[in-house]
Amino acid sequence: MLDRPADRERHYGWVYDLPPGISSEQWPLDPVTGYPLMHGFTLKLPEDYRVHGEDMVSFFATAPDHNDGGAPDDPEIRETVLARPTHPRLSRMTDILDYEYATLLLTAREYDGAFAIPPAPLALATAERPRWLDVGGASGGHDI
């Protein structure tokens, strides 16, 4: 991990910070809380792993402040999140504790694009605002 912004030509990705090349509307929301999932990392996949072309991947997860007992699953929030438009190559998953994750396969053009701005949470969101939106991942990151 480096202490300076990513040089996308030289490095193969970064952790935290912001994902590139997507609109705020394409940022995956947590269907349990209605808040944006936290960006964990973006990787430029080695050629041997690019099974869909020139793919890069961004990974998102439930914020740490929401995964210690979490928020109660509200069917109205879940239905609203899952009805929203999404990135065309979004994959959602849950772990055995029912915490939410998402990956986006990015094109080379998206990977080289401007950093995304996290969307506002759903108006239905009642869980406490996750810290990363104010002092964590959205405020800086590190190359890998």
Side-chain angles (χ1 to χ4, degrees), residues 33-91:
T33 66
Y35 281 94
L37 288 172
M38 185 174 83
H39 175 254
F41 57 83
T42 294
L43 294 176
K44 187 174 190 176
L45 299 174
E47 286 188 37
D48 290 350
Y49 293 90
R50 295 180 191 169
V51 297
H52 298 286
E54 291 292 314
D55 294 333
M56 290 50 158
V57 63
S58 282
F59 175 81
F60 299 83
T62 298
D65 356 17
H66 290 164
N67 71 13
D68 186 15
D73 195 353
D74 181 331
E76 187 176 12
I77 291 175
R78 181 170 293 280
E79 289 170 15
T80 302
V81 167
L82 298 179
R84 289 171 43 102
T86 63
H87 186 275
R89 298 197 302 167
L90 166 73
S91 293

Side-chain angles (χ1 to χ4, degrees), residues 77-115:
I77 291 175
R78 181 170 293 280
E79 289 170 15
T80 302
V81 167
L82 298 179
R84 289 171 43 102
T86 63
H87 186 275
R89 298 197 302 167
L90 166 73
S91 293
R92 288 187 169 275
M93 62 215 88
T94 56
D95 66 14
I96 61 170
L97 300 174
D98 289 328
Y99 294 120
E100 299 286 332
Y101 301 89
T103 59
L104 300 178
L105 283 178
L106 304 174
T107 64
R109 184 175 170 190
E110 288 171 321
Y111 179 83
D112 291 334
F115 290 106

